[in-house]
Amino acid sequence: MSKTKLSILAFVALAGLGLVALKTEDRPGAPQAAKRPNILVILADDMGYSDMGCYGGEVHTPNLDYLAQNGLRYRQFYNTSRCCPTRASLLTGLYNQQAGIGKMTEAENQPGYQGRITENTVTLAEVLKTAGYQTGMVGKWHVSNTFTQKTPEDQLAWLNHQKDFGPFSPVEQYPTSRGFDKYFGTIWGVVDFFDPFSLVNGKEPVKSVPKNYYHTDAINDTTVAYIREFARSDQPFFLYVAQNAPHWPLQALPEDIDKYKDTYKGGWDTIRKARYDRMVKMGLIDPKTTKLPETPANAPKWEDNPDQEWDAAAMAVHAAMIDRMDQGIGRIIDALKQTGELDNTLILFLTDNGASPENCAKYGPGFDRPSETRDGRKIIYATEKQVMPGPQTSYASIGARWAGVANTPYRYAKAESFEGGVNTPMIAFWPKGITAKKGSYSDHTGHVMDLMATFCDLSGASYPKQFNNNPIKPTTGKSFVGSFSGKSTKGHPELFNEHFGARYVRQENWKLVSPASDSTWQLYDLSNDRSETQNLAASNPEKVKHLAARWHEWANTHQVFPKPGKPAPSK
């Protein structure tokens, strides 16, 4: 074991998270067939649709591939296109505006824009606890109001670990106040992977980390500790593992980056075409209905790119971050095997949105982005690609062209309502409960809000009408347990989304969508055009009118409107 791993394990043990009790012996006896399943949800952050090997990528993900080859892969499962809205929807079984997070975590003056999951919702943990489940969460919370300081100077001093201003959000909004027995992770969204801001254990801030700390390892090793602790009880457990990887800033360990140092030197289009061809070969997509969209005419060409070395390195770091996450998921799988819990544990792996096209360096330091490390080294925001991505002192992201590759074969990316922003890869693995052919695909139309209804089905829990003396909104999700049999299940006949003006309505195979930058509706027939390349709006004006009316009806009844300070748009 490396010194890095030893120091992280020691740190997590000292933080009181149970790793001191790590043992290698198996629990005697396998779980009984009638026992309710354990439930483990792993959510990646800003990972593209085709990044994993089992979804066509070249990134080395043997452990995720194992889950896919022995479980189900979903081809049309939806998130809400961005970090905190997806988390709000996943946790509550509601559309994100109903849960209070229509935008981000700033508190605004309308019901759908509270910047936190509100009191008239229940979380998965709160519901599963009523059915006797042990509950734990590790990783990124990002569904509570974020505190900021009175001056930019104080804010940076806080982010740089130079001053302490107390809680990072209202403590009553922390995970352990919303049904989780145990929690280790970051309250805010963006992190320095080597020294994360807003790190807490339960409700207590973690004020320092070891020199060789790496956050992805800490998340996965803490999950292992929780599994071993929970497995000592006869009660089933629910674990929500919210990875920060591979969200920017691009920060990874040198040995992981080195694996991919030559992988991306062929450029954007070469990697994209190779991914598409693998997806076709493995049967994930049908080339007749899912074309590889043409590269926009104004997009830069790799051969004309003066920053080839930097751009290839950026994608190498992105891959390294996913690779390291997969290594940790392997340790989680091993812990489930060693405790005798693997066969009766439902594992879901999915992402919160498509890969990000952002140039995060342009944001500069401030709000949730530090200006220097704890020991005083300046962080370079690589606006001119003047420093290589990877170390703690570099702040960068993969950018729009690589995001398009990561989201192959779909168009657009994070924050948009096109398939590249909202269609999540999802793996379901449960040896005792999934009877579909191993390694097969499901065309069930699902959504992250469906986890609530699904888990209620599996656990025997009842979704409440009232909780803690608060009336609870009826769930808008649908159970997808039926899809585990391998039989054809349709799922949602209609789905909707809105985020910063980007929006869609999907009704059966018709999808009406518009980007954030242009409110003009576009119409696609997903049965013939899954990659949204042929806009049929002009030839189907009545369909556009009908679907637009449905979207407005949904928006007006699900707290999309009124928006803070803005009237509802015309139809």
Coordinates of all heavy atoms in Angstrom, one line a residue, residues 5 8-9 12 17 19 22 40-44 63-64 137-140 184-185 193 213-228 239-245 320-336 349:
K5 N -2.0 6.3 0.4 CA -3.2 5.5 0.8 C -3.2 5.4 2.4 O -4.2 5.5 3.0 CB -3.3 4.2 0.1 CG -4.5 3.3 0.6 CD -5.8 4.1 0.3 CE -6.0 4.3 -1.2 NZ -6.0 3.1 -2.0
I8 N -4.2 8.6 4.1 CA -5.6 8.9 4.0 C -6.4 8.0 4.9 O -7.3 8.4 5.6 CB -6.1 8.8 2.6 CG1 -5.5 9.9 1.7 CG2 -7.6 8.8 2.4 CD1 -5.7 9.8 0.3
L9 N -6.1 6.7 4.9 CA -6.8 5.8 5.8 C -6.6 6.2 7.3 O -7.6 6.1 8.1 CB -6.3 4.3 5.6 CG -6.6 3.7 4.3 CD1 -5.9 2.3 4.2 CD2 -8.1 3.5 4.1
V12 N -8.9 9.2 8.0 CA -10.3 8.9 8.1 C -10.6 8.2 9.4 O -11.6 8.5 10.1 CB -10.8 8.1 6.9 CG1 -12.3 7.8 7.1 CG2 -10.6 8.9 5.6
L17 N -14.5 7.8 11.7 CA -15.4 7.3 10.7 C -15.4 5.8 10.7 O -16.0 5.2 9.8 CB -15.0 7.8 9.3 CG -15.1 9.4 9.3 CD1 -14.6 9.8 8.0 CD2 -16.5 9.8 9.5
L19 N -12.9 3.5 10.3 CA -11.8 2.7 9.6 C -10.9 2.0 10.6 O -10.2 1.1 10.2 CB -11.0 3.6 8.7 CG -11.7 3.8 7.3 CD1 -10.8 4.7 6.5 CD2 -12.0 2.6 6.6
L22 N -11.5 -1.7 10.5 CA -11.4 -2.4 9.2 C -10.9 -3.8 9.4 O -9.8 -4.0 10.1 CB -10.5 -1.7 8.2 CG -11.0 -0.6 7.4 CD1 -9.9 0.0 6.6 CD2 -12.2 -1.1 6.5
L40 N -27.2 1.0 -2.5 CA -26.0 1.8 -2.7 C -26.1 2.7 -4.0 O -26.1 2.1 -5.0 CB -24.7 0.9 -2.7 CG -23.4 1.6 -3.0 CD1 -23.0 2.6 -1.9 CD2 -22.3 0.5 -3.0
V41 N -26.2 4.0 -3.8 CA -26.2 4.9 -5.0 C -24.9 5.6 -5.1 O -24.4 6.2 -4.2 CB -27.3 5.9 -4.8 CG1 -27.3 6.9 -6.0 CG2 -28.7 5.2 -4.7
I42 N -24.2 5.5 -6.3 CA -23.0 6.2 -6.5 C -23.2 7.2 -7.7 O -23.6 6.8 -8.8 CB -21.9 5.2 -6.9 CG1 -21.7 4.1 -5.9 CG2 -20.5 6.0 -7.1 CD1 -20.7 3.0 -6.3
L43 N -23.0 8.4 -7.4 CA -23.3 9.5 -8.3 C -22.0 10.2 -8.7 O -21.3 10.8 -7.9 CB -24.2 10.5 -7.7 CG -24.7 11.7 -8.6 CD1 -25.7 11.2 -9.7 CD2 -25.4 12.8 -7.8
A44 N -21.6 10.1 -10.0 CA -20.4 10.8 -10.5 C -20.8 12.2 -10.8 O -22.0 12.6 -11.0 CB -19.9 10.1 -11.7
N63 N -14.0 -1.9 -12.8 CA -14.9 -2.2 -11.7 C -16.4 -1.7 -12.1 O -17.3 -2.5 -11.9 CB -14.5 -1.5 -10.4 CG -13.2 -2.0 -10.0 OD1 -13.0 -3.2 -9.6 ND2 -12.1 -1.2 -10.0
L64 N -16.5 -0.6 -12.8 CA -17.8 -0.2 -13.3 C -18.2 -1.1 -14.4 O -19.3 -1.5 -14.6 CB -17.7 1.3 -13.8 CG -17.7 2.3 -12.6 CD1 -17.3 3.7 -13.2 CD2 -19.0 2.3 -11.9
M137 N -24.1 8.8 4.2 CA -23.8 9.5 3.0 C -22.3 9.9 3.1 O -21.8 10.2 4.1 CB -24.6 10.8 2.8 CG -24.2 11.5 1.6 SD -25.1 13.1 1.4 CE -24.1 13.8 0.0
V138 N -21.7 9.8 1.9 CA -20.3 10.2 1.7 C -20.2 11.1 0.5 O -20.7 10.7 -0.6 CB -19.3 9.0 1.6 CG1 -17.9 9.5 1.6 CG2 -19.6 8.0 2.7
G139 N -19.5 12.2 0.6 CA -19.2 13.0 -0.6 C -19.9 14.3 -0.7 O -20.2 15.0 0.4
K140 N -20.3 14.7 -1.9 CA -20.8 16.1 -2.2 C -22.3 16.2 -1.8 O -23.1 15.6 -2.4 CB -20.5 16.4 -3.6 CG -21.0 17.7 -4.2 CD -20.6 17.9 -5.6 CE -21.2 19.1 -6.3 NZ -20.7 19.3 -7.6
F184 N -19.7 12.0 5.8 CA -18.4 12.6 5.7 C -18.3 13.1 4.3 O -18.5 12.4 3.3 CB -17.3 11.5 5.9 CG -15.9 12.0 5.6 CD1 -15.2 12.8 6.5 CD2 -15.3 11.7 4.3 CE1 -13.9 13.2 6.1 CE2 -14.0 12.1 4.0 CZ -13.3 12.9 4.9
G185 N -18.0 14.4 4.1 CA -17.9 15.0 2.8 C -18.0 16.5 2.8 O -17.8 17.1 3.8
F193 N -9.2 19.0 -4.7 CA -9.2 17.5 -4.4 C -8.1 17.2 -3.4 O -8.2 16.1 -2.8 CB -9.0 16.7 -5.7 CG -10.3 16.6 -6.5 CD1 -10.7 17.7 -7.3 CD2 -11.1 15.5 -6.4 CE1 -11.9 17.6 -8.0 CE2 -12.3 15.4 -7.1 CZ -12.7 16.4 -7.9
Y213 N -3.4 13.7 1.3 CA -4.8 13.5 1.1 C -5.2 13.7 -0.4 O -4.7 14.5 -1.1 CB -5.5 14.5 1.9 CG -7.0 14.4 2.0 CD1 -7.7 13.7 2.9 CD2 -7.8 15.1 1.0 CE1 -9.1 13.6 3.0 CE2 -9.2 15.0 1.0 CZ -9.8 14.3 2.0 OH -11.2 14.2 2.0
Y214 N -6.1 12.8 -0.8 CA -6.8 12.9 -2.1 C -8.2 12.6 -1.9 O -8.6 11.5 -1.4 CB -6.1 12.1 -3.2 CG -6.7 12.3 -4.6 CD1 -6.4 13.6 -5.2 CD2 -7.5 11.4 -5.2 CE1 -6.9 13.9 -6.4 CE2 -8.0 11.7 -6.5 CZ -7.7 12.9 -7.1 OH -8.3 13.2 -8.3
H215 N -9.1 13.5 -2.3 CA -10.5 13.4 -1.8 C -11.3 12.2 -2.4 O -12.1 11.6 -1.6 CB -11.2 14.7 -2.2 CG -12.6 14.9 -1.5 ND1 -12.7 14.8 -0.2 CD2 -13.8 15.2 -2.1 CE1 -14.0 15.0 0.1 NE2 -14.7 15.2 -1.0
T216 N -11.0 11.8 -3.6 CA -11.7 10.7 -4.2 C -11.4 9.4 -3.4 O -12.3 8.6 -3.1 CB -11.3 10.5 -5.6 OG1 -11.7 11.7 -6.3 CG2 -12.0 9.3 -6.2
D217 N -10.1 9.3 -2.9 CA -9.7 8.1 -2.1 C -10.5 8.2 -0.8 O -10.9 7.1 -0.3 CB -8.2 8.1 -1.9 CG -7.5 7.6 -3.1 OD1 -8.1 6.9 -4.0 OD2 -6.3 7.8 -3.2
A218 N -10.5 9.4 -0.2 CA -11.2 9.5 1.1 C -12.7 9.1 1.0 O -13.2 8.5 1.9 CB -11.0 10.9 1.7
I219 N -13.3 9.6 0.0 CA -14.7 9.3 -0.2 C -14.9 7.7 -0.3 O -15.8 7.2 0.4 CB -15.3 9.9 -1.5 CG1 -15.5 11.4 -1.3 CG2 -16.6 9.3 -2.0 CD1 -15.8 12.2 -2.6
N220 N -14.1 7.1 -1.1 CA -14.4 5.6 -1.3 C -13.9 4.8 -0.1 O -14.6 3.8 0.3 CB -13.6 5.2 -2.6 CG -14.3 5.8 -3.8 OD1 -15.5 5.8 -3.9 ND2 -13.5 6.3 -4.8
D221 N -12.8 5.2 0.6 CA -12.4 4.5 1.7 C -13.4 4.7 2.9 O -13.6 3.8 3.7 CB -11.0 4.9 2.1 CG -10.0 4.4 1.1 OD1 -10.2 3.4 0.4 OD2 -8.9 5.0 1.0
T222 N -14.0 5.8 3.0 CA -15.0 6.1 4.1 C -16.2 5.2 3.8 O -16.8 4.7 4.7 CB -15.3 7.5 4.2 OG1 -14.2 8.3 4.4 CG2 -16.3 7.8 5.3
T223 N -16.6 5.1 2.5 CA -17.7 4.2 2.1 C -17.4 2.8 2.6 O -18.3 2.1 3.1 CB -17.9 4.3 0.6 OG1 -18.2 5.7 0.3 CG2 -19.1 3.4 0.2
V224 N -16.2 2.3 2.3 CA -15.8 1.0 2.8 C -16.0 0.8 4.3 O -16.5 -0.2 4.8 CB -14.4 0.7 2.4 CG1 -13.8 -0.6 3.1 CG2 -14.2 0.5 0.9
A225 N -15.6 1.9 5.0 CA -15.7 1.8 6.5 C -17.2 1.7 6.9 O -17.5 1.0 7.8 CB -15.1 3.1 7.1
Y226 N -18.0 2.5 6.3 CA -19.5 2.5 6.6 C -20.1 1.1 6.3 O -20.9 0.6 7.0 CB -20.2 3.6 5.8 CG -20.0 5.0 6.3 CD1 -19.1 5.3 7.3 CD2 -20.6 6.1 5.6 CE1 -19.0 6.6 7.8 CE2 -20.5 7.4 6.0 CZ -19.6 7.7 7.1 OH -19.5 9.0 7.5
I227 N -19.7 0.5 5.2 CA -20.2 -0.8 4.8 C -19.8 -1.8 5.9 O -20.7 -2.6 6.3 CB -19.7 -1.2 3.4 CG1 -20.3 -0.4 2.3 CG2 -19.9 -2.7 3.2 CD1 -19.6 -0.6 1.0
R228 N -18.6 -1.8 6.3 CA -18.2 -2.7 7.3 C -18.9 -2.5 8.6 O -19.2 -3.5 9.3 CB -16.6 -2.7 7.5 CG -15.9 -3.1 6.3 CD -14.4 -3.2 6.5 NE -13.7 -3.6 5.3 CZ -13.5 -4.8 4.9 NH1 -14.1 -5.8 5.6 NH2 -12.9 -5.1 3.8
L239 N -26.7 3.6 1.4 CA -25.5 4.5 1.3 C -25.6 5.3 0.0 O -25.9 4.8 -1.1 CB -24.3 3.7 1.3 CG -23.6 3.3 2.6 CD1 -22.5 2.3 2.4 CD2 -23.1 4.6 3.3
Y240 N -25.5 6.6 0.2 CA -25.4 7.6 -1.0 C -24.0 8.1 -1.1 O -23.5 8.8 -0.2 CB -26.4 8.7 -0.7 CG -26.4 9.9 -1.7 CD1 -26.2 9.7 -3.0 CD2 -26.6 11.2 -1.2 CE1 -26.2 10.8 -3.9 CE2 -26.6 12.3 -2.0 CZ -26.4 12.1 -3.4 OH -26.4 13.2 -4.2
V241 N -23.3 7.7 -2.2 CA -21.9 8.1 -2.4 C -21.8 9.1 -3.5 O -21.9 8.7 -4.7 CB -21.1 6.8 -2.7 CG1 -19.6 7.2 -2.8 CG2 -21.3 5.7 -1.6
A242 N -21.7 10.3 -3.1 CA -21.7 11.4 -4.1 C -20.3 11.8 -4.4 O -19.7 12.6 -3.7 CB -22.5 12.6 -3.6
Q243 N -19.7 11.2 -5.5 CA -18.4 11.5 -5.9 C -18.2 13.0 -6.3 O -19.2 13.5 -6.9 CB -18.0 10.6 -7.0 CG -18.1 9.1 -6.7 CD -17.0 8.5 -6.0 OE1 -16.0 9.1 -5.7 NE2 -17.2 7.2 -5.5
N244 N -17.1 13.6 -6.1 CA -16.8 14.9 -6.7 C -16.1 14.7 -8.1 O -16.2 15.7 -8.9 CB -15.8 15.7 -5.8 CG -16.5 16.2 -4.5 OD1 -16.7 15.4 -3.6 ND2 -17.0 17.4 -4.5
A245 N -15.5 13.6 -8.3 CA -14.9 13.4 -9.6 C -15.9 13.1 -10.7 O -16.9 12.5 -10.4 CB -13.9 12.2 -9.5
A320 N -7.9 10.4 -15.7 CA -7.2 9.9 -14.4 C -8.2 10.1 -13.2 O -8.2 9.2 -12.3 CB -6.0 10.7 -14.2
M321 N -9.0 11.1 -13.2 CA -9.9 11.3 -12.1 C -11.0 10.2 -12.1 O -11.4 9.7 -11.0 CB -10.5 12.7 -12.2 CG -9.5 13.8 -12.0 SD -10.2 15.5 -12.4 CE -11.1 15.9 -10.9
I322 N -11.4 9.8 -13.3 CA -12.4 8.8 -13.4 C -11.8 7.4 -13.0 O -12.4 6.6 -12.3 CB -13.0 8.7 -14.8 CG1 -13.8 10.0 -15.1 CG2 -13.9 7.5 -15.0 CD1 -14.2 10.2 -16.5
D323 N -10.6 7.2 -13.5 CA -9.8 6.0 -13.2 C -9.7 5.8 -11.7 O -9.9 4.7 -11.1 CB -8.5 6.1 -13.9 CG -7.6 4.8 -13.8 OD1 -7.5 4.3 -12.7 OD2 -7.1 4.3 -14.9
R324 N -9.3 6.9 -11.0 CA -9.1 6.8 -9.5 C -10.4 6.5 -8.8 O -10.5 5.8 -7.9 CB -8.5 8.1 -9.0 CG -8.3 8.2 -7.5 CD -7.4 7.2 -6.9 NE -6.0 7.1 -7.4 CZ -5.0 6.6 -6.8 NH1 -5.1 6.2 -5.5 NH2 -3.8 6.6 -7.3
M325 N -11.5 7.1 -9.3 CA -12.8 6.8 -8.8 C -13.2 5.4 -8.9 O -13.7 4.7 -8.0 CB -13.9 7.7 -9.4 CG -15.3 7.4 -9.0 SD -16.5 8.5 -9.8 CE -16.4 8.0 -11.5
D326 N -12.9 4.8 -10.1 CA -13.2 3.4 -10.4 C -12.4 2.5 -9.5 O -12.9 1.5 -9.0 CB -12.9 3.1 -11.8 CG -13.3 1.6 -12.2 OD1 -14.4 1.4 -12.5 OD2 -12.4 0.8 -12.2
Q327 N -11.1 2.8 -9.2 CA -10.3 2.1 -8.3 C -11.0 2.0 -6.9 O -11.0 0.9 -6.3 CB -8.9 2.7 -8.2 CG -8.0 2.6 -9.4 CD -6.8 3.4 -9.2 OE1 -6.1 3.3 -8.2 NE2 -6.4 4.2 -10.2
G328 N -11.5 3.1 -6.4 CA -12.2 3.1 -5.2 C -13.4 2.3 -5.2 O -13.8 1.7 -4.2
I329 N -14.2 2.4 -6.3 CA -15.4 1.6 -6.4 C -15.0 0.1 -6.3 O -15.8 -0.7 -5.8 CB -16.1 1.9 -7.7 CG1 -16.7 3.4 -7.5 CG2 -17.2 0.9 -8.0 CD1 -17.3 4.0 -8.8
G330 N -13.9 -0.3 -6.8 CA -13.4 -1.7 -6.7 C -13.3 -2.0 -5.2 O -13.6 -3.2 -4.8
R331 N -12.7 -1.1 -4.4 CA -12.6 -1.4 -3.0 C -14.0 -1.5 -2.3 O -14.2 -2.3 -1.4 CB -11.8 -0.4 -2.3 CG -10.3 -0.3 -2.8 CD -9.4 0.5 -1.9 NE -9.7 1.9 -1.9 CZ -9.3 2.8 -2.8 NH1 -8.6 2.4 -3.9 NH2 -9.6 4.1 -2.6
I332 N -14.9 -0.7 -2.8 CA -16.3 -0.8 -2.3 C -16.9 -2.2 -2.6 O -17.5 -2.8 -1.7 CB -17.2 0.3 -2.8 CG1 -16.7 1.7 -2.3 CG2 -18.6 0.1 -2.6 CD1 -17.3 2.9 -3.0
I333 N -16.7 -2.6 -3.8 CA -17.2 -4.0 -4.2 C -16.6 -5.0 -3.4 O -17.3 -6.0 -2.9 CB -17.0 -4.2 -5.7 CG1 -17.8 -3.2 -6.6 CG2 -17.3 -5.6 -6.1 CD1 -17.5 -3.2 -8.1
D334 N -15.3 -5.0 -3.2 CA -14.6 -5.9 -2.4 C -15.1 -6.0 -0.9 O -15.3 -7.1 -0.3 CB -13.1 -5.6 -2.3 CG -12.4 -6.0 -3.7 OD1 -13.0 -6.7 -4.5 OD2 -11.3 -5.5 -3.9
A335 N -15.4 -4.8 -0.4 CA -15.9 -4.8 1.0 C -17.3 -5.4 1.1 O -17.6 -6.1 2.0 CB -16.0 -3.3 1.5
L336 N -18.1 -5.2 0.0 CA -19.4 -5.9 0.0 C -19.3 -7.4 -0.1 O -20.0 -8.2 0.5 CB -20.3 -5.3 -1.1 CG -20.8 -3.9 -1.0 CD1 -21.3 -3.4 -2.3 CD2 -21.9 -3.8 0.1
F349 N -25.2 3.2 -10.4 CA -24.2 4.2 -10.7 C -24.7 5.0 -11.8 O -25.2 4.5 -12.8 CB -22.9 3.5 -11.2 CG -21.8 4.5 -11.6 CD1 -20.9 5.0 -10.6 CD2 -21.8 5.0 -12.9 CE1 -20.0 5.9 -11.0 CE2 -20.8 5.9 -13.2 CZ -19.9 6.4 -12.3

